[in-house]
Each structure stands twice: as C-alpha cells, then as structure tokens.
Amino acid sequence: MVLADLATGEKAVIVRVHGHGSFRKRLIEMGFIKGKEIRVVLNAPLRDPIEYEILGYRIGLRREEARQIEVVTEQEALEALRSDEHLQALPGDLEDAQRLSRALAHLAEERNRNIRVALVGNPNCGKTSLFNIAASAHEHVGNYSGVTVDAKEGHVRYKDYDITLVDLPGTYSLSAYSPEELYVRKNLLETMPDVVINVVDASNIERNLYLTTQLIDMNLRLVMALNMYDELRHKGDELDIKQLGYLLGMTVCPTVGRTGEGIPELLDTVIAIYEQADPKLARHIHINHGKELERSIKHVQPLIAQNEELKAHYSTRYLTIKYLEGDREVEEQLSGMPNIQDIAFARADEAVNIWEMMECSLESAIVDAKYAFIQGALAETYKQFHADRPRHTITDKIDALVTNQWLAFPIFLLLLWFIFWATFTIGQYPMDWIDAGVNWFGGKVAGWMPAGWFRDLLVDGIIAGCGSVLVFLPNILILYFFISILEDTGYMSRAAFIVDKLMHRIGLHGKSFIPMVMGFGCNVPAIMATRAIENRKSRLITIAIIPFMSCAGRLPIFLLFAGAFFPHNAATALMGIYLLGVLLAILSAMVLGKFIKDDELPFVMELPPYRMPTAKAIGRHTWEMGKQYLQKMATTILLFSIAIWFLGYFPRHEGATAAYQQEHSYIGMVGKTVEPALEPLGFNWMMDVGLLTGIGAKELVISSLGVMYAQEGELTEVDDGDTALQAALKASIPVAAAVAYMVFVLLYFPCIATFVAIKNETGKWRWAILLCLYTFLVAWICAFAAFRLGLLLWP
Ligand code: GDP
Ligand code: MG
C-alpha cells in the first residue's frame, strides 16, 4: 500500500520511501522515516496536497510524492493479527490499541526486510550468471540477443533479508533507441528498485562504465559488481578498486559470475546501502560535463525543475541531460509541461552555443564528456598489463608525447615559460599605451578645470585609479588567451594530471595547479578559477596560497627595487622573489592542510579528447575573465583609490610641497603611527605609507612612494639609467631594507580586490579576514629575517 491511497483519518507505519536520491533525502529530512507512524488528516479526492500528521506536526504532501511512500495500514495489521500465528501470540485483545500498534511495527519491519534489487549492465557482462548463483534459480545463460525483452525475478534469503533480484536485459546505454534500453529505463524509473547493482565487465571496463555514468545521472542507490574479475587478474591488469569506488561515489565489489566469488560481499553491501549504514558506501556525485555543457545544464535545469510533479519521479539533472541529448521519451514527457516553450528555447540556445564553442551537437558533446570522465577515472586507477587496444587516434598520439615520462615536465614548463614571456613582453606595449593615454587624458582634464580639490579628486583619484586597473587588462587578457587555448584543446587536463602526484604531496590536487599559475597574472581571477576544484579542502587551501603567487601588480615594485639595488643582478633578484613566493605557498599549504577538515570527497579529473578550439570559444573565455577582472576590480579599486587619495589629500596644507602634504595628511599620520611596528624591518614612515596604499592595490605603492620622495631638488632626472625615484630610494635606505621591503610587498595582504574575491568564493568574511592576518604575519616574519640577513650580507 502507498501513502496516497490512505483515506482521511487512517493510520499507517512507513515502510520505505522510493524515488531518486534527492527526493528521498528531502522526504527523510521532513520526517518520513521508516517505522514512523503517520495519520491522514485530510485526503479529499481532488485535493492536493494531502495533509498528514507525523511526529506530532502537520505536513502537506503532494499526491505524487505520497505515491512514493510505501506503508502498512492498520487494516493490514488487523488482518495479519487474525491470520498470522506469530502475531496472534501477542498479548491483549484483538482491538487493543497497543497490540495493534505493535503488530503494525512488526509488519513494517518485516516488509522492510524485503529488498528489491535490479541487475543492470552491458550484454554478456555476467548478469544472468550472478543472478543464477545468487538466486539459485536457473535461467538460460548465454548470448542474449535481445529478441525478447523481459526481466526475470528470483529470490534470495540472506541474513534475515528477503532480496528480490531482477535480471534486466543487457544494454550499453540508457537512451531511448532500442526496446531493451527503454525497458531497462522504464523499469528503473517506475518500479524503483531499492538498490541497483551495476554489473561491469572488468575485462572491458572502459565501455562498460559508459552505462555507469548514466546510472549515476539518475541518482539511484548504486553498487558496482565488478564481474569477470578473474579475467582481469589473469591478464595482469591492476585496478585500484577502492579509489575507483571513491571517484564514482559507489562501492565496487569484485565478483566472478562463474564461481560465485564475491557474491556474499556484494549482498552485504546491498544491505548496508539499503539500510544506509554508512553514507560513504554510496554518495551521489555529479559527473562534470565540462565548462560549456555545465553552463547549458544550469540554464535548462531550473526551467525543468519548475514542474513540481516531475521532481517526485526524476532527478531533474538527469532529465535535463537527457533532454539536451534530444531523448525522445523525455521530450515527450516534457511536452505536456506548461513552460515547455521556455525549455525548448533554452535548449535551442544551448545547441547553438555548443555548436559555436565546440563544433559538435549537444548529444555528441555529452557523450564526449562522459568518456572524458571515464578516461580520467581510469587514468588514475587502472593499469593495463598489455595495452591490447592499438592506440592510433590523434588523442592517443598527442598523449603519448605530452604525457611521456621524460618529456611531460619539460614540455609543460616550456609552455608555461612561453606564456609568461608572451604575457609580459607583448603585454608591455598596450600597457604603455594605456598608461600614456590615461596620463594624457588626466593632463587634459586638469587643463580644462580650475584648480581645487575637485580637480585633484578627478585627476589624481578617479582617473589615475581607473588607469591603474586598466593598465593590467592587456596582461590579463593575454594570459587568459593562452590559458583558454590550453584549456579548450584539452591540454590543461593533462597538465593537471602530470602535476597531480606532486600536488598531492602538499595536500593539494592537480586541478589546483592551474589557478596557482593564473595567480602570477592576477590573484582575483585565479581565486575565481578555483571553482573547478570540487574538494572543499583543496579549494580552500588553494585560495589561501594564491596570494603568495606574485601577481602582475607587484611586478613593477620589484622591477623598481631590483633595478635600483641590484642593477647587475636584477633578473636573479626577481626570480628569487618569485621563488620565495612559491616556496611559502608550498609551506603554507602543508601547514594549513593540518588545520582544515577534509571532506574526503575525491573527484575525477576528466580527460577529454584533444580538439581544435574554436575562435569563438577562446574569445569568449578570454573576455569572460577580462570582464570579471574589470567588474570586480574596477569597483573596489576605484573606491579604494578615492579613499586613499582622500587620506593623502586631507587635511590640506595649502601652498606646502607635495611631500610635506603627504607627511602631514591622514595617511602620513597613520604611516607614522605604524612606524614602530615596521621599524624592525628597516622601513621608514614613507615606505610604510607606500605599504598602506598598497592595501588598496599594489600598483599604488610606487605612485605614493613617488609622491613622498618627490622632495624638491632631490627628485630630478638622473642620468645613469635609474629613474629619479630609484635614485632617491638608493640614497635613503640600505640594501637590506630594500630586500625586506620586496619580501614584505610579496607576502603581505594581496589587495582589496583579492580580499573581496576570497570572501565571495569562500562565502565567509571570516576566511578573508583570517587570511589577511595570516599573510601579514608571514610577511612580517619573513621581512624581518630578510632584513637581518641582508644586514650581514650587505653591511
Ligand atoms: P549477461 O548477458 O550479462 O546475462 O551475461 P551471462 O551471465 O549470460 O554471461 C555471459 C558469459 O560470460 C557466459 O559465458 C558466462 O559463463 C561468462 N561469465 C560470467 N561471469 C563470468 C566471470 O566472472 N568470469 C568469467 N571468466 N566468465 C564469466
Ligand atoms: Mg543475461
């Protein structure tokens, strides 16, 4: 009996909740737990939702939802009391309420011990063999050619459970193309087995896993029977079963269908999953279909999810993926929905988008994405003794080269080096143009306007502030142009694989590497790029260490100081600074790893086939990053530029020199206030003011140093190649202090935009503030050490 069939006033006990994972989870959270008593408050024929009382409070439940809940009614309990000998032995009168409720509980418990299990797998993977041994039935075993589409049922009595096994016809996929596929799908969705055993042929694992990915989409309770395990052993292949299970979110039980080896463990697992003994045995994962397809899914899924009646029966993600694939059945199902037009338009949009981005149909993009997932999962867990399949696709050939054990790293490093070289060399030209343009514009505006605080605000605060954001845009665009190429061709996934082992040593993940590299360009988009990392711990640590990756904004400061203090070894000094950042990032990752709780959710690094990226895709991905940079940075940097301008401009000392003004402004006062704290590092108050302005954006450090050192007469043009500022700095501070300053600039609080990005991506101010304190602490300690060491080296 199902809950929906109960009449008003009737009482029942819940036996189980059917349905896909997220539906079940929601109902269980509402209190629909097996063994709980429930009463119908109001169930009128045309009324929806039906009103129930459970655990002492009232809940409305849609009729559709109530159909998914299996119950035992009082009526059934009464009948059982009359007929069942065991129950007749219960003390008390027949009508006694206590006796009745005991009978109810007993019946519910008994029914609860009936588990329906379906066997799903490719043809000839050994389903019927497993079925026959487990259920001790005898069905015809052999090559099933799919003439009759039919399921066989058998029963197993195992450890107090009555397990009903259903042997479904073999299928390679769950599309609506063949009668078998349709049949299996209908069976899974309509009869809703409690647990699904996905039988996988271990000697042909790659192809078999394709069906697995579709079952995962359906969000069923899955366990994998890795059958033909004897053949895998025989061939000498190695498979990390535990890891594969982690990655797929299901338990993998090796079995041999011929001998029955592994079947008891398989049944134990089925029971444990059914009883939800350990959430780790089965967790629902989302197969990552890649950036573009995930975007398509995100577009269509909410539209489908608006139809509540679908949600009780299907995982909407599954429906969305199937609908995007152009599945006829799902199309038909959705055709009755009130918002089918919106859904269809959204799909048409996405079809065009995928065509433009990847030059293929939605359907083949989805198939590719599933195989990318399988490739990634197997690359991490499976080692074939004899690679029996001749490898001659283009992807295989390229892979043979770029993942070659000797060449992989050199190729990777060469590519990185080239990208940085190109970013900074090519980027220098537009940077200079923008710089000149902004200066020219500022000058013009200054010329048009009467002198006064408003003109200064406009020119020195707003225009200069905007300029400092704009000037890095070319660098960022170029960097992302190359990164998009590497990502869209499929190379980045391999790179993540190559560094994965190394990254694991510091508690990170291969996917952390790309954001870290991006951090050299600008920390803000790098932090946004950590979204690709599914594991929370890896993601938090990656976010935390990105600020140590010296961004392009810090580069001019290092260039200035290295050029002034180490004119002959500037490149070495620069390299040293960058390496110090990387070193501290690694150390921090190891330290932080000890403090952050791991959610232990491993994930697959997808390995998509190589493909020629389309210009449109590269263009869009590059521009998206540029846009995010401009949006997120423009607002905060601009605000801070104005704030810092304000602090430096007031209180006014009319007629005084710029340096005098700076010294006696608010910011000068703050600089002098913090001076004692930074004095042990060898900094003077002017350098402190530079650091304070650098909190807004690192680019501001130089300009404020420039203002402060602009004491009349001293800051004239010098002709030995140094800029005036460099000469002034050299004259006023020791080498050790300059080194300490570079170290401090490298490590302390990255900038306000990064701060905001950290808050946005982690969702918590707490994280951003903690990180801010942490970076200050590290910066102080390292700069202090650098200063002391510097005093010894350059007395
Ligand atoms: P089904 O199509 O999935 O029902 O597969 P069957 O149960 O009909 O098995 C197909 C063939 O594989 C039969 O010849 C079985 O004897 C054989 N087979 C089943 N399980 C195993 C196994 O674990 N190891 C080996 N070596 N052969 C198996
Ligand atoms: Mg069979």
Side-chain angles (χ1 to χ4, degrees):
M1 189 82 123
V2 293
L3 190 56
D5 296 339
L6 258 58
T8 303
E10 271 192 290
K11 244 195 231 159
V13 169
I14 296 169
V15 174
R16 79 189 87 200
V17 179
H18 291 281
H20 61 90
S22 49
F23 171 76
R24 239 184 14 246
K25 189 165 166 238
R26 188 166 66 84
L27 285 194
I28 287 169
E29 279 165 2
M30 284 162 81
F32 292 88
I33 302 160
K34 67 179 182 199
K36 288 277 173 287
E37 212 168 287
I38 186 162
R39 193 174 67 83
V40 186
V41 177
L42 182 62
N43 183 5
L46 288 174
R47 223 184 102 96
D48 209 2
I50 309 172
E51 219 181 316
Y52 295 102
E53 188 184 294
I54 187 167
L55 302 172
Y57 59 93
R58 288 180 179 195
I59 298 182
L61 212 56
R62 278 198 180 67
R63 200 166 285 278
E64 282 304 314
E65 296 172 324
R67 282 213 182 93
Q68 305 265 44
I69 301 176
E70 190 183 324
V71 293
V72 216
T73 58
E74 278 185 322
Q75 199 57 40
E76 287 172 288
L78 267 175
E79 269 161 39
L81 272 175
R82 289 199 194 94
S83 58
D84 188 318
E85 277 171 42
H86 180 79
L87 286 177
Q88 275 169 359
L90 284 176
D93 293 333
L94 194 61
E95 310 299 328
D96 181 32
Q98 226 181 8
R99 193 163 177 249
L100 187 63
S101 82
R102 247 193 256 161
L104 260 176
H106 178 84
L107 266 187
E109 173 67 23
E110 201 167 66
R111 297 231 179 128
N112 199 276
R113 289 181 170 267
N114 287 329
I115 314 178
R116 275 188 81 80
V117 177
L119 288 163
V120 182
N122 287 10
N124 287 315
C125 63
K127 292 179 301 300
T128 306
S129 307
L130 287 176
F131 174 85
N132 284 346
I133 292 192
S136 46
H138 285 282
E139 292 296 337
H140 173 67
V141 179
N143 281 346
Y144 190 96
S145 58
V147 187
T148 49
V149 175
D150 189 8
K152 298 168 207 99
E153 271 194 25
H155 293 273
V156 200
R157 189 78 208 160
Y158 186 77
K159 291 194 178 166
D160 276 353
Y161 287 89
D162 196 3
I163 301 174
T164 307
L165 278 177
V166 185
D167 182 20
L168 292 170
T171 59
Y172 292 109
S173 129
L174 292 178
S175 326
Y177 290 131
S178 71
E180 287 88 355
E181 294 181 7
L182 261 183
Y183 182 86
V184 171
R185 203 161 91 178
K186 264 206 153 69
N187 191 291
L188 291 179
L189 291 171
E190 278 164 21
T191 60
M192 271 293 168
D194 296 308
V195 179
V196 173
I197 297 181
N198 177 207
V199 185
V200 164
D201 176 353
S203 61
N204 197 351
I205 191 162
E206 185 180 332
R207 194 185 60 187
N208 274 250
L209 285 181
Y210 184 69
L211 178 65
T212 309
T213 59
Q214 298 193 319
L215 292 170
I216 290 174
D217 284 344
M218 288 171 85
N219 195 358
L220 305 164
R221 280 190 278 191
L222 287 170
V223 51
M224 183 186 295
L226 188 68
N227 199 37
M228 312 257 182
Y229 194 64
D230 53 333
E231 292 198 7
L232 182 127
R233 265 186 313 218
H234 183 70
K235 281 199 286 188
D237 292 355
E238 282 169 39
L239 179 65
D240 185 344
I241 289 176
K242 209 169 154 197
Q243 180 67 10
L244 182 67
Y246 273 152
L247 292 174
L248 300 180
M250 66 181 82
T251 309
V252 177
C253 299
T255 55
V256 181
R258 279 205 172 133
T259 61
E261 195 184 328
I263 289 182
E265 290 80 2
L266 180 65
L267 293 179
D268 284 338
T269 313
V270 165
I271 291 171
I273 289 172
Y274 175 72
E275 294 290 357
Q276 292 172 318
D278 182 356
K280 269 191 210 141
L281 290 175
R283 96 193 134 87
H284 177 54
I285 61 161
H286 279 184
I287 289 170
N288 182 356
H289 287 72
K291 208 192 286 182
E292 291 300 333
L293 274 176
E294 285 299 329
R295 198 179 308 206
S296 305
I297 294 172
K298 226 186 222 155
H299 183 186
V300 177
Q301 189 176 358
L303 296 172
I304 292 183
Q306 282 174 16
N307 302 291
E308 290 288 341
E309 65 265 43
L310 292 172
K311 278 164 93 176
H313 291 283
Y314 310 102
S315 141
T316 51
R317 184 174 166 90
Y318 160 78
L319 280 182
T320 306
I321 293 170
K322 280 285 164 212
Y323 184 68
L324 289 176
E325 274 179 1
D327 187 281
R328 268 174 286 134
E329 270 246 317
V330 172
E331 273 174 2
E332 214 165 282
Q333 243 163 3
L334 293 184
S335 67
M337 299 300 132
N339 66 341
I340 179 63
Q341 277 219 324
D342 296 345
I343 300 175
F345 279 138
R347 178 174 70 176
D349 265 1
E350 293 307 325
V352 172
N353 180 41
I354 294 294
W355 185 261
E356 282 177 352
M357 292 290 155
M358 303 161 83
E359 285 179 338
C360 67
S361 67
L362 275 168
E363 192 183 3
S364 67
I366 290 173
V367 174
D368 278 357
K370 292 213 146 90
Y371 273 109
F373 173 87
I374 295 168
Q375 290 290 346
L378 289 182
E380 211 171 307
T381 54
Y382 188 41
K383 212 150 87 213
Q384 270 178 302
F385 188 72
H386 285 298
D388 44 4
R389 182 157 69 90
R391 303 249 160 200
H392 48 57
T393 63
I394 294 177
T395 293
D396 291 335
K397 279 184 189 158
I398 300 177
D399 264 349
L401 185 71
V402 302
T403 61
N404 174 289
Q405 61 168 325
W406 302 111
L407 291 178
F409 267 103
I411 290 177
F412 184 42
L413 291 177
L414 206 70
L415 277 170
L416 279 187
W417 180 86
F418 171 76
I419 290 176
F420 278 109
W421 174 82
T423 302
F424 292 115
T425 323
I426 304 174
Q428 196 57 49
Y429 297 98
M431 243 174 126
D432 290 344
W433 301 332
I434 292 175
D435 201 27
V438 170
N439 279 339
W440 172 86
F441 183 65
K444 276 276 174 233
V445 172
W448 292 329
M449 293 178 64
W453 69 267
F454 187 65
R455 184 185 78 175
D456 294 343
L457 167 69
L458 207 60
V459 175
D460 301 333
I462 296 175
I463 296 177
C466 286
S468 66
V469 177
L470 265 183
V471 88
F472 286 99
L473 187 63
N475 271 337
I476 291 203
L477 289 180
I478 296 170
L479 182 66
Y480 288 119
F481 171 73
F482 285 111
I483 285 183
S484 298
I485 292 182
L486 292 192
E487 272 197 330
D488 292 356
T489 49
Y491 178 78
M492 264 312 187
S493 326
R494 273 80 184 175
F497 240 100
I498 296 168
V499 295
D500 191 50
K501 278 224 174 66
L502 278 178
M503 302 295 282
H504 274 302
R505 287 205 198 142
I506 55 170
L508 291 180
H509 197 278
K511 276 191 183 174
S512 308
F513 191 75
I514 298 156
M516 282 170 70
V517 169
M518 287 162 81
F520 287 122
C522 172
N523 288 180
V524 175
I527 285 169
M528 293 192 276
T530 59
R531 282 175 209 166
I533 307 169
E534 280 107 332
N535 179 297
R536 178 178 159 273
K537 179 177 177 175
S538 290
R539 178 154 188 236
L540 281 177
I541 296 180
T542 311
I543 290 177
I545 64 175
I546 282 174
F548 292 139
M549 304 283 125
S550 182
C551 68
R554 282 168 254 188
L555 185 63
I557 309 171
F558 301 143
L559 287 177
L560 182 94
F561 276 82
F565 290 87
F566 303 97
H568 306 299
N569 303 312
T572 317
L574 209 61
M575 188 80 179
I577 279 288
Y578 271 77
L579 285 181
L580 179 69
V582 173
L583 184 72
L584 278 162
I586 293 172
L587 289 177
S588 301
M590 299 205 303
V591 172
L592 291 173
K594 302 246 183 300
F595 292 103
I596 299 175
K597 199 169 84 242
D598 199 352
D599 48 11
E600 284 175 37
L601 292 185
F603 56 92
V604 169
M605 278 187 284
E606 300 79 22
L607 283 179
Y610 287 100
R611 64 166 87 230
M612 203 60 190
T614 63
K616 192 133 187 177
I618 302 287
R620 188 190 290 177
H621 293 154
T622 306
W623 173 237
E624 260 164 19
M625 278 299 176
K627 204 170 69 183
Q628 284 180 344
Y629 169 81
L630 284 182
Q631 281 171 349
K632 296 227 166 167
M633 303 205 53
T635 43
T636 39
I637 286 218
L638 195 59
L639 276 178
F640 261 75
S641 306
I642 293 172
I644 281 166
W645 170 86
F646 179 88
L647 292 177
Y649 196 80
F650 294 103
R652 286 309 283 155
H653 301 279
E654 290 304 338
T657 62
Y660 181 88
Q661 167 62 35
Q662 187 78 290
E663 182 175 356
H664 295 89
S665 67
Y666 292 118
I667 207 162
M669 295 174 204
V670 179
K672 293 208 162 159
T673 315
V674 299
E675 194 178 11
L678 297 176
E679 213 177 348
L681 316 180
F683 304 166
N684 59 36
W685 71 267
M686 290 189 275
M687 294 161 81
D688 298 344
V689 170
L691 294 176
L692 283 172
T693 57
I695 287 178
K698 291 286 158 81
E699 302 78 294
L700 299 177
V701 173
I702 292 186
S703 53
S704 57
L705 282 179
V707 172
M708 281 175 298
Y709 275 97
Q711 287 163 17
E712 266 136 311
E714 264 183 52
L715 228 172
T716 47
E717 208 56 53
V718 189
D719 52 20
D720 61 356
D722 282 359
T723 66
L725 178 56
Q726 282 176 318
L729 280 169
K730 227 155 80 175
S732 71
I733 58 173
V735 181
V739 174
Y741 201 66
M742 285 201 275
V743 171
F744 200 88
V745 165
L746 169 76
L747 301 173
Y748 86 113
F749 186 81
C751 69
I752 198 72
T754 305
F755 182 73
V756 174
I758 292 173
K759 185 253 151 190
N760 285 343
E761 295 302 318
T762 58
K764 296 212 172 74
W765 282 110
R766 197 181 55 190
W767 271 100
I769 292 165
L770 266 178
L771 254 158
C772 164
L773 295 177
Y774 175 72
T775 49
F776 266 112
L777 186 72
V778 171
W780 199 93
I781 294 172
C782 292
F784 180 75
F787 182 58
R788 290 287 140 190
L789 203 69
L791 285 181
L792 294 177
L793 290 174
W794 302 281

